[in-house]
Amino acid sequence: MKTNPGRFFEDYTLGEVISHAVPRTLSGGERAAYHALYPARHALHSSDEFARACGLPAAPFDDLVAFHTVFGKTVPDISLNAVANLGYAEGRWLKPVWPGDTIRSESTVIGLKQNSNGRSGVVYVRTRGLNQSGEPVLEYVRWVMVRKRDLDVPAPAPVVPELKDFVPASSISVPEGLDFSNYDFTLAGEPHRWGDYAVGERIDHVDGVTVEEAEHMLATRLWQNTAKVHFDRTQREDGKRLIYGGHVISLARALSFNGLANAQMIVALNAGAHANPCFAGDTVRAWSEVLDKAETGAPGVGALRLRLVAVKDGAAPFTLKDEAGKYSPEVLLDLDYWALMPL
Amino acid sequence: MKTNPGRFFEDYTLGEVISHAVPRTLSGGERAAYHALYPARHALHSSDEFARACGLPAAPFDDLVAFHTVFGKTVPDISLNAVANLGYAEGRWLKPVWPGDTIRSESTVIGLKQNSNGRSGVVYVRTRGLNQSGEPVLEYVRWVMVRKRDLDVPAPAPVVPELKDFVPASSISVPEGLDFSNYDFTLAGEPHRWGDYAVGERIDHVDGVTVEEAEHMLATRLWQNTAKVHFDRTQREDGKRLIYGGHVISLARALSFNGLANAQMIVALNAGAHANPCFAGDTVRAWSEVLDKAETGAPGVGALRLRLVAVKDGAAPFTLKDEAGKYSPEVLLDLDYWALMPL
Amino acid sequence: MKTNPGRFFEDYTLGEVISHAVPRTLSGGERAAYHALYPARHALHSSDEFARACGLPAAPFDDLVAFHTVFGKTVPDISLNAVANLGYAEGRWLKPVWPGDTIRSESTVIGLKQNSNGRSGVVYVRTRGLNQSGEPVLEYVRWVMVRKRDLDVPAPAPVVPELKDFVPASSISVPEGLDFSNYDFTLAGEPHRWGDYAVGERIDHVDGVTVEEAEHMLATRLWQNTAKVHFDRTQREDGKRLIYGGHVISLARALSFNGLANAQMIVALNAGAHANPCFAGDTVRAWSEVLDKAETGAPGVGALRLRLVAVKDGAAPFTLKDEAGKYSPEVLLDLDYWALMPL
């Protein structure tokens, strides 16, 4: 058979390195498409002039463009037969991605654990995105539940990697040259600086976006993500196309501009849960909570650790979990990340 | 509160200058997106070679790309709480915008007049778009009706700016170097030159476009326009998303290619009314009327003053107003502009 | 009348050359848009680095970008009043198209044959796409059935051009410098090389895409295709917008990556039939059959002649024609082309 059936649980070996296919050269075209798809307004990613005033040679891509590009390449090898995308950890952006860069991805299998039912198992991979010079631009750990094709294959010795609860501030990589000493708060859109945010503070980002089928498919294809459930309405019994979780991440991040306009760059992904599926017709909103704060050593550059929660229609303000600790049905995303902000 | 609630009528002061946030670097990506969103075919904006043959260094962006980019930046400060977008005047394109340019906007409050009901007022601003060298690329006056938050704040002294009924031909700015002496009518798509149009002539542009939700949201986001009513179906009681008026302007202008293919550049906006709201599912058509003609002094370059009217399903040819002088319900847009055309 | 009513059958003269309007400069923006619109993953068109490793200076546009751009320009002159798009033949890609290139089109009328009912006739044109240096990048023959406006105009002497059943392998143009000697099958996404495909072999490409109105209109506009039926739901009695046949070609070609990832470049179009109309809501799938194989003389470069069939919901595997030799109602496209693949 010439087509790719995707890998099943028994096809993964601990320690193996998977080189993902189809490198991608990004240009101003992807930047424009990102602006059309998401209400993204962070000035550092929107304006070459603003980025230069912050010590960078030009505006890098939104950090989630790097994430989606790297992630999309892993889908045919990692999650084509995934039953669930279980989590993220230890995500670090290591170098900005610029128009003209060519990105490819590779993943190392760092954990395998068959489920007790014998029908599926959890695969842990550490994925790295690399640019045309072979420099890593992003790395993260992700684990997914994958079906077995042949239930008779014996279970591998269970290995669950030890993962950090969150990326320590000391491990954050600040882009070379970044300097917020002369940061223009007016051009950036809000006056609130790092010192104005308090741990525990919560922000309702107010705005909402009602999602259309065409939009999430355009977005998901843009990153060459091939998971069938996003594009083919015959894949699910209810005839609905499941929206790529990353689409919700980008929507929520862009909506968070309103209240976090100066959280210019995402530098670490501590954890993330796609709490409930998102479908076309849902109106997506977002709220954030400040989880931690740190200085970075770079001139004028502080870091905020933020929880970003995406919810849909009907969610009360700051909805998250019910009394039993389960995500409320209106919660779509619970993301924990570090962002850079002027001191 | 960290989020932007938008300004209310009492928050504006006569003479104040508002620097709008989030500068934007434009590239070939925005040009491609514009072509995907609108049936735009004017050769000067489509082909570097054609533009060079007309004396320009390359194809500038469609003039409405400049307009939307400049306009979008003003929304969070000017029209987030606007009840109505009342009018435009004295709009002039001063310099083409090219791929690689970074655009920002600023507005001066030039008029304020509280309504007699005491609940809202009219705010007049003169907005300028500036490129990375600080050169103005576009300016226009716009007035909007804005709600008051605190009805007890006393009304300001009413100031209504004196605005020209239209931009006189002598004030039109012709792009440096523009020369239509060797204009290629075959490549441009139509043989009709400036001399072939008569004042009073009306043109039915024939073609129509049925609009989808995804399209107008992609377009409106592309310009970083944040008005909630365009994206969030919970904002209106009828559950409809209101289409950004500028989307209708671009649709109508692009449709007007068929009959005005040689009206290559928009150089002035004399007046404009969004006569009725546009919603997804509407089929938009357009017709034009020649209002005036002028020479410009630039080699081979004439100017036509045009009325551009967008209508929707069911409109009879050349529908505009009823006997009482009120816009017919099928009329979406009534725009008065100057365009450059080969003599 | 200033608008273009399109040409009718009696408006064509044998041997006349029609220069089509609106040249187009393409950039990274069109490439990004193509990736958003189609699940295109062929590495040679996705990555500058991959293309360089194959001897090219950078990644050329997907060959169908060239096709759609050239085709779109012909619509106002050739198919605005076409009743049916009857066929393609003798299509050859002659030179890659790169970001920055400006493309225009011209067509020569090579055949005319009035139908026996006297109400329409078949027009045969040979269309060439040319870049800014006047070099041909693509040529193909297409024939369409066009209505007569004036039934009293006498029929022209019938001329039906002699067309090759398919482009012989010896006529294929391999891009200058192309060298698959050091081809990276891992980065390309599949291990199957030219020698692994057998004449007669059929491949079910497995994946499907449910098409939305917004998507096909964005795509069709991107190529400045102006045919009314794609955009205006009032054009057909059933209120449906007919999807541009080229949209189905690009969808099917992109879906064929899964099983033909190494069929990197389309170099010839032997024949093509839009068997049944496609509408929004259809879920499009594809299958291929290997029709022939040839070597090309270029280092490491072989050619496969492929039948690419697009079908919609409900089609059994490898559905094509019924017993009477008529296309089954689920078949949307039957395309015959040559592609280059590493030996």
Side-chain angles (χ1 to χ4, degrees), chain C residues 49-120:
Chain C
E49 305 299 315
F50 191 94
R52 280 180 202 127
C54 295
L56 302 181
F61 283 110
D62 191 292
D63 307 295
L64 293 173
V65 169
F67 177 77
H68 295 313
T69 304
V70 171
F71 184 101
K73 316 226 144 304
T74 71
V75 169
D77 300 311
I78 306 298
S79 44
L80 212 58
N81 298 308
V83 185
N85 198 8
L86 298 171
Y88 304 99
E90 299 188 4
R92 296 195 310 145
W93 279 257
L94 300 167
K95 226 178 151 63
V97 177
W98 315 93
D101 279 0
T102 300
I103 303 300
R104 61 187 178 87
S105 305
E106 62 179 39
S107 297
T108 306
V109 179
I110 60 168
L112 289 170
K113 183 169 187 301
Q114 186 165 310
N115 288 325
S116 52
N117 65 14
R119 312 182 76 83
S120 58

Side-chain angles (χ1 to χ4, degrees), chain C:
Chain C
M1 193 162 79
K2 295 274 192 330
T3 53
N4 174 22
R7 286 168 172 240
F8 293 84
F9 180 68
E10 65 268 31
D11 299 327
Y12 295 92
T13 310
L14 195 73
E16 84 175 300
V17 177
I18 304 170
S19 277
H20 305 296
V22 192
R24 172 75 168 273
T25 305
L26 299 165
S27 78
E30 278 78 8
R31 174 175 295 155
Y34 197 82
H35 276 114
L37 290 162
Y38 305 108
R41 300 182 69 224
H42 288 92
L44 193 73
H45 300 295
S46 175
S47 164
D48 283 345
E49 305 299 315
F50 191 94
R52 280 180 202 127
C54 295
L56 302 181
F61 283 110
D62 191 292
D63 307 295
L64 293 173
V65 169
F67 177 77
H68 295 313
T69 304
V70 171
F71 184 101
K73 316 226 144 304
T74 71
V75 169
D77 300 311
I78 306 298
S79 44
L80 212 58
N81 298 308
V83 185
N85 198 8
L86 298 171
Y88 304 99
E90 299 188 4
R92 296 195 310 145
W93 279 257
L94 300 167
K95 226 178 151 63
V97 177
W98 315 93
D101 279 0
T102 300
I103 303 300
R104 61 187 178 87
S105 305
E106 62 179 39
S107 297
T108 306
V109 179
I110 60 168
L112 289 170
K113 183 169 187 301
Q114 186 165 310
N115 288 325
S116 52
N117 65 14
R119 312 182 76 83
S120 58
V122 179
V123 179
Y124 296 79
V125 292
R126 186 179 303 275
T127 295
R128 294 200 314 164
L130 303 156
N131 66 16
Q132 66 279 5
S133 307
E135 298 165 321
V137 297
L138 169 65
E139 63 173 30
Y140 61 88
V141 172
R142 173 186 175 215
W143 55 106
V144 292
M145 191 184 300
V146 181
R147 279 182 294 132
K148 291 186 77 168
R149 179 178 36 207
D150 178 356
L151 304 191
D152 295 336
V153 175
V159 173
V160 175
E162 233 173 279
L163 297 170
K164 295 191 180 71
D165 286 342
F166 60 93
V167 176
S170 57
S171 298
I172 284 174
S173 170
V174 177
E176 199 186 322
L178 191 72
D179 181 344
F180 283 160
S181 310
N182 299 305
Y183 190 89
D184 186 329
F185 289 86
T186 301
L187 279 183
E190 288 182 354
H192 325 300
R193 56 179 73 229
W194 184 83
D196 297 328
Y197 291 86
V199 173
E201 179 176 357
R202 297 193 301 181
I203 301 159
D204 181 343
H205 298 300
V206 181
D207 303 309
V209 172
T210 308
V211 182
E212 297 293 310
E213 298 280 17
E215 292 171 327
H216 76 82
M217 292 199 294
L218 289 167
T220 308
R221 262 193 303 254
L222 184 61
W223 317 120
Q224 300 177 308
N225 180 327
T226 58
K228 293 178 173 63
V229 288
H230 306 318
F231 302 107
D232 178 351
R233 70 168 175 195
T234 70
Q235 290 291 310
R236 286 170 56 103
E237 292 208 352
D238 61 9
K240 289 182 175 179
R241 278 161 277 180
L242 183 68
I243 292 179
Y244 162 48
H247 190 63
V248 178
I249 296 177
S250 275
L251 273 176
R253 162 69 175 160
L255 289 169
S256 79
F257 176 91
N258 201 346
L260 283 167
N262 297 316
Q264 291 285 358
M265 303 190 87
I266 301 181
V267 284
L269 175 59
N270 298 307
H274 298 291
N276 285 289
C278 182
F279 299 106
D282 288 349
T283 300
V284 178
R285 297 172 197 287
W287 62 271
S288 293
E289 180 180 357
V290 181
L291 298 177
D292 201 359
K293 298 178 64 171
E295 299 194 38
T296 70
V301 182
L304 283 190
R305 185 179 157 204
L306 294 157
R307 158 175 276 162
L308 173 62
V309 178
V311 298
K312 64 177 179 179
D313 319 54
F318 306 114
T319 297
L320 189 64
K321 295 183 178 176
D322 62 18
E323 286 175 16
K326 223 183 136 233
Y327 283 113
S328 301
E330 299 89 3
V331 174
L332 303 172
L333 171 77
D334 181 11
L335 199 80
D336 179 339
Y337 71 104
W338 281 103
L340 300 183
M341 184 178 266
L343 290 175

Side-chain angles (χ1 to χ4, degrees), chain A residues 254-332:
Chain A
L255 289 170
S256 79
F257 176 91
N258 202 345
L260 283 167
N262 296 317
Q264 290 285 359
M265 303 190 86
I266 301 181
V267 284
L269 176 58
N270 297 308
H274 297 292
N276 284 289
C278 182
F279 298 107
D282 288 349
T283 300
V284 177
R285 297 173 197 287
W287 62 270
S288 293
E289 180 181 356
V290 181
L291 298 178
D292 200 358
K293 299 177 64 172
E295 299 196 37
T296 69
V301 181
L304 283 189
R305 185 178 156 205
L306 294 156
R307 158 175 274 163
L308 173 62
V309 178
V311 299
K312 64 177 179 178
D313 318 55
F318 307 114
T319 297
L320 188 62
K321 294 183 179 176
D322 63 17
E323 288 174 17
K326 223 183 135 232
Y327 283 114
S328 301
E330 299 89 5
V331 174
L332 303 172

